[in-house]
């Protein structure tokens, strides 16, 4: 069964700076404790990551996954799961809106696991992933 989550956060940086932080795939393990490694396999002509391989560990569940990113300027990035050892599907996005003080970021994530996992573990892992995706990217971008 797929689970979805949504969160929003304000970041004291321009949308371009936030998007550059999201695109810094090699730095992902520095701001996301769940990501043990992340590497870009292919890029678009503009140098932005297209296909990315990651090793992730959340709540004792370890996953090797490959996702494919789509970039829409400095306003939106989405990704879709291509391969995974533990997931059937994953879709995520950041939508960025410029504000007077920087950027308002909306994050969405939907994950469908292959393996049965107790509901309380799924909810806790989901909460951890959403907090990392918002608070982690905020700290990373603002600290650059």
């Amino acid at each position: 069964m797929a689970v979805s989550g949504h969160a929003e956060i304000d970041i004291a940086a321009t949308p371009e700076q936030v998007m550059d932080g999201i695109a810094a795939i090699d730095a992902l393990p520095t701001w996301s404790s769940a990501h043990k490694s992340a590497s870009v396999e292919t890029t678009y002509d503009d140098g932005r990551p297209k296909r990315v391989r990651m090793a992730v560990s959340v709540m004792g569940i370890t996953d090797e996954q490959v996702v494919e990113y789509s970039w829409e300027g400095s306003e939106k990035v989405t990704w879709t799961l291509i391969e995974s050892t533990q997931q059937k599907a994953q879709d995520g996005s950041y939508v960025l809106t410029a504000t007077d003080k920087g950027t308002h970021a909306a994050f969405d994530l939907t994950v469908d696991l292959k393996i049965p996992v107790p509901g309380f573990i799924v909810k806790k892992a989901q909460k951890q992933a959403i907090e990392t995706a918002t608070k982690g990217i905020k700290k990373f971008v603002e600290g650059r």
Side-chain angles (χ1 to χ4, degrees), residues 1 3 59 117-129:
M1 182 172 101
V3 294
M59 302 294 300
V117 177
F120 75 94
I121 292 177
V122 171
K123 292 224 183 272
K124 192 168 182 178
Q126 178 186 33
K127 181 180 179 194
Q128 180 183 347

Side-chain angles (χ1 to χ4, degrees), residues 30-89:
T30 67
W31 61 266
S32 170
S33 60
H35 288 82
K36 303 309 172 195
S37 66
S39 61
V40 177
E41 292 190 336
T42 62
T43 61
Y44 289 99
D45 290 342
D46 66 359
R48 289 254 164 118
K50 181 176 183 180
R51 190 169 282 219
V52 173
R53 181 171 299 275
M54 300 177 234
V56 180
S57 182
V58 178
M59 302 294 300
I61 300 171
T62 302
D63 191 19
E64 272 291 320
Q65 59 189 23
V66 176
V67 299
E68 190 164 295
Y69 284 84
S70 294
W71 305 87
E72 296 177 32
S74 60
E75 295 84 39
K76 185 176 184 180
V77 59
T78 61
W79 60 92
T80 300
L81 185 72
I82 304 299
E83 300 172 20
S84 172
T85 57
Q86 302 294 336
Q87 299 174 65
K88 294 179 198 172

